[in-house]
Amino acid sequence: MSGRRIFAQPARYAAIAPYLWMVLFFLVPFGFVLKISLSQTAIAQPPYVPVFDFTEGWAAIQAAFAQLSLDNFRLLVSDSLYISSYLRSLVVAVTSTLILLLIGYPIAYGMARLPQRWQAIAMMLVIIPFWTSFLIRIYAWINILQHDGLLNKVLLALHLVSTPVVWLSTDTAMYIGIVYSYLPFMILPLYATLAKMDPSLLEAASDLGASPGRAFWLVTFPLSLPGVGAGALLCFIPIVGEFVIPDLLAGSGSMMIGQTLWLEFFTNKDWPVAAAAAVALLVLLVPPLLLYDRLQRRQLEGAN
Amino acid sequence: MARKVGKMSPFNITALALGMAFLYLPIVILIIYSFNASRLVTVWGGWSLRWYYEFFNDRAMLDAAWMSLRVAAVSATIATLLGTLAAVGLVRGERFRGRSLFSGMLYAPLVMPEVISGLSLLLLFVALNAERGFWTVTIAHTTLTICFVTVVVQSRLASIDRSLEEAAMDLGCDAVHAFLSVTLPLIIPAIAAGWMLAFTLSLDDVVIASFTTGPGSATLPIRIYSEVRLGVKPEINAICTMVIALIAVVIVIASLASKLSSSQGESAAPL
């Protein structure tokens, strides 16, 4: 056995290459974001003040730290553009997550009640759009929602409206796009918890005289809460930072934080402020990320 | 089983049918309109392959498509190598220093907003004075897809009986040899599925590619994106349909691979 232990060691070294890769291309870049967010505001190309020069030793590093400024963060709090885009991101993410729950739950519930063989097919059907291009699926909606697009044609033909409705560049279009894109992320965790549920619990509830609706509220729904939490967070977190969907489908009025960051970076070319906005966005996402991590851990422990 | 079918209420069936229609109708409509002969995207002018010809005569679009395919193939290959090694390290390695930091870094890109990942990588490349183009996009896509490969391979690897390898070692193999000749063939389908997932994710990305690419090396999604912002064009319908077709082929191969994988043992995770 102890001989095998020594031979088992090589597996540990397998992680070295991916470890180094992630440190270099994932961890270190955040150091740069943090550093540039603290440098002085300058609408220009790099180098930004202060520049670190490690060859000059500790004194230079101290001097550089003394020059770091919080001006970019002060700008974030004082400029109403940033505050309003943070708020908008939160409002959009909360609203979309609620709509996703309302639409996703009945679908996941229906899937969990299908016969076993059909469940696998239904799951495949939900996963396929996840593989299909995100951008193309948003583009498909532009086709449908445009002024003389299919939706208006159908509405006009059914005499539900007398003149074409403006869909594109509205919040409605944006919510349709977000719900459409994130629906699989909501359905899958919900389905996973609903499918695991022991059907005898429901039988017991009905034996004790509960109506199906009452049994759902008292038994099924409370037991599915871990799935509700996981699905909600899995959608909420990326929607906060969403860029492509609001940019293509929402109006040019108020922006989400991802759009503001993009604009600051590419149009205004103010990298320090863009970096500060990125840091602030990350801070905003830390609580939901920690919550998600805790939920996942508890799920894993429950499974074992 | 029959009892379970009986328990499907009309409500269940309606929810499922509407849900599936919602997921698939837009894509189906897009595909149909890509064969529209009319220049106006909204008027049906009969079936035609005209917009496909248009694409194959559009130099800029072809270059972008070629760039995307190369980036996707190379980044998926590197991500598969690194992701498989990471999965082996996580499942088979004993506890090592910094293990939780390692898995944290691996899984963070799954939820990290793309604007942040893109911005941070660009700042790194600027600091390194790296010329932006093919390699910077490839590195960025590799970093973001390693975790998907790791998830797929890890779940397969965890389900494999370790005593098979130990038997090989009792018969005189060393640990590396035992892994390569016993375990690797068993997890190959999962590795293939991981590669294909990484490939399609790279083929789809606009945001990170926009941050990390240089002038003159736009990928296909960047091109499509800038066209779409200006309005709907029939040629875009054709391009999107071809991308969907390519991804459909990849999905079929991947699901065959994972079926092969699960028929050899316990079921593997679908993603």
Side-chain angles (χ1 to χ4, degrees):
Chain A
M1 196 64 209
S2 61
R4 257 182 216 152
R5 278 278 137 143
I6 297 163
F7 285 123
Q9 296 290 354
R12 164 190 302 200
Y13 300 110
I16 291 177
Y19 207 133
L20 290 178
W21 180 285
M22 291 316 284
V23 168
L24 180 58
F25 294 116
F26 191 75
L27 205 56
V28 170
F30 283 113
F32 282 101
V33 175
L34 201 60
K35 187 208 136 185
I36 288 180
S37 74
L38 292 169
S39 62
Q40 277 152 28
T41 313
I43 302 186
Q45 289 292 308
Y48 296 107
V49 182
V51 179
F52 287 115
D53 186 355
F54 292 107
T55 54
E56 284 172 36
W58 181 238
I61 295 174
Q62 269 181 319
F65 263 102
Q67 279 187 62
L68 289 179
S69 91
L70 287 171
D71 283 353
N72 301 311
F73 290 96
R74 245 172 250 135
L75 183 70
L76 288 187
V77 238
S78 62
D79 192 331
S80 66
L81 171 71
Y82 297 101
I83 308 255
S84 71
S85 38
Y86 277 112
L87 287 179
R88 177 156 163 90
S89 288
L90 283 178
V91 170
V92 170
V94 169
T95 315
S96 320
T97 305
L98 289 176
I99 304 173
L100 277 160
L101 267 174
L102 283 177
I103 298 181
Y105 202 103
I107 300 175
Y109 190 69
M111 277 170 67
R113 305 205 119 197
L114 282 170
Q116 210 69 39
R117 204 167 57 88
W118 283 90
Q119 284 192 21
I121 295 171
M123 182 135 129
M124 194 69 206
L125 284 173
V126 172
I127 291 171
I128 288 172
F130 170 86
W131 286 65
T132 322
S133 169
F134 194 67
L135 178 62
I136 290 176
R137 286 187 294 141
I138 299 303
Y139 172 69
W141 274 103
I142 298 182
N143 265 329
I144 295 171
L145 296 174
Q146 59 186 323
H147 188 71
D148 43 4
L150 211 65
L151 181 60
N152 272 334
K153 278 187 184 161
V154 170
L155 290 178
L156 287 170
L158 294 174
H159 297 290
L160 287 172
V161 294
S162 49
T163 48
V165 182
V166 178
W167 297 103
L168 267 192
S169 307
T170 64
D171 278 6
T172 314
M174 178 189 67
Y175 282 116
I176 292 176
I178 292 177
V179 168
Y180 183 65
S181 306
Y182 285 93
L183 196 55
F185 291 88
M186 180 60 87
I187 293 177
L188 291 175
L190 281 175
Y191 164 75
T193 46
L194 287 169
K196 264 194 309 207
M197 213 171 282
D198 187 352
S200 61
L201 290 172
L202 280 180
E203 279 162 27
S206 83
D207 285 348
L208 294 171
S211 67
R214 215 173 135 75
F216 174 82
W217 272 116
L218 293 177
V219 180
T220 311
F221 187 70
L223 284 175
S224 70
L225 281 178
V228 171
L233 288 168
L234 206 55
C235 293
F236 177 85
I237 296 165
I239 293 174
V240 169
E242 190 52 58
F243 166 77
V244 174
I245 305 176
D247 192 55
L248 289 178
L249 294 176
S252 51
S254 46
M255 291 190 291
M256 289 176 66
I257 189 64
Q259 290 170 280
T260 308
L261 200 164
W262 180 282
L263 189 80
E264 207 57 70
F265 192 85
F266 283 110
T267 312
N268 296 347
K269 303 229 187 304
D270 190 342
W271 291 17
V273 171
V279 172
L281 173 55
L282 263 186
V283 170
L284 185 77
L285 288 178
V286 166
L289 278 172
L290 288 178
L291 200 63
Y292 181 70
D293 188 54
R294 247 184 75 183
L295 259 177
Q296 288 299 91
R297 242 165 248 243
R298 203 182 300 164
Q299 288 266 78
L300 279 179
E301 279 159 18
N304 288 340
Chain B
M1 249 189 206
R3 190 178 53 95
K4 270 206 140 179
V5 189
K7 271 163 73 180
M8 292 269 314
S9 67
F11 175 76
N12 292 152
I13 295 166
T14 319
L16 266 181
L18 287 179
M20 292 301 162
F22 180 59
L23 283 176
Y24 284 94
L25 261 183
I27 300 174
V28 172
I29 292 167
L30 173 79
I31 294 173
I32 293 174
Y33 271 89
S34 78
F35 295 104
N36 185 2
S38 163
R39 174 164 290 282
L40 292 166
V41 208
T42 50
V43 179
W44 184 254
W47 298 89
S48 145
L49 287 175
R50 161 174 184 196
W51 306 111
Y52 291 84
Y53 286 117
E54 207 97 324
F55 167 72
F56 285 104
N57 288 313
D58 187 336
R59 193 72 241 165
M61 278 289 178
L62 280 178
D63 284 346
W66 179 229
M67 168 89 178
S68 273
L69 287 174
R70 273 161 49 221
V71 167
V74 175
S75 70
T77 306
I78 305 174
T80 303
L81 278 172
L82 292 172
T84 305
L85 284 173
V88 171
L90 286 173
V91 177
R92 292 293 166 87
E94 321 286 299
R95 303 226 146 251
F96 53 86
R97 200 183 291 246
R99 193 182 198 273
S100 54
L101 171 70
F102 181 52
S103 62
M105 284 192 300
L106 274 179
Y107 297 127
L110 277 168
V111 282
M112 189 70 68
E114 290 175 314
V115 273
I116 296 185
S117 311
L119 179 73
S120 64
L121 274 165
L122 172 62
L123 295 181
L124 173 78
F125 293 140
V126 169
L128 294 176
N129 224 343
E131 195 194 329
R132 272 171 281 145
F134 175 82
W135 280 107
T136 48
V137 185
T138 303
I139 287 173
H141 283 181
T142 303
T143 309
L144 295 157
T145 51
I146 287 177
C147 58
F148 290 91
V149 179
T150 308
V151 170
V152 177
V153 177
Q154 201 178 6
S155 69
R156 179 77 192 124
L157 194 58
S159 72
I160 286 175
D161 190 352
R162 230 183 146 157
S163 57
L164 291 173
E165 249 177 80
E166 284 172 1
M169 274 149 76
D170 286 343
L171 295 171
C173 274
D174 61 54
V176 176
H177 207 93
F179 178 81
L180 290 180
S181 54
V182 177
T183 308
L184 192 63
L186 288 172
I187 59 171
I188 277 284
I191 294 175
W195 187 90
M196 286 178 260
L197 187 55
F199 181 85
T200 59
L201 286 166
S202 166
L203 209 57
D204 188 28
D205 164 67
V206 197
V207 176
I208 289 151
S210 297
F211 275 102
T212 52
T213 195
S217 49
T219 58
L220 189 62
I222 295 179
R223 284 256 161 214
I224 295 177
Y225 185 69
S226 56
E227 292 281 334
V228 167
R229 289 182 93 172
L230 303 174
V232 179
K233 275 168 119 186
E235 189 194 340
I236 302 292
N237 285 340
I239 296 171
C240 289
T241 303
M242 283 187 281
V243 174
I244 292 172
L246 177 67
I247 292 173
V249 170
V250 169
I251 298 173
V252 170
I253 298 173
S255 67
L256 287 179
S258 81
K259 198 168 268 178
L260 194 68
S261 158
S262 53
S263 69
Q264 286 171 356
E266 288 158 56
S267 68
L271 275 181

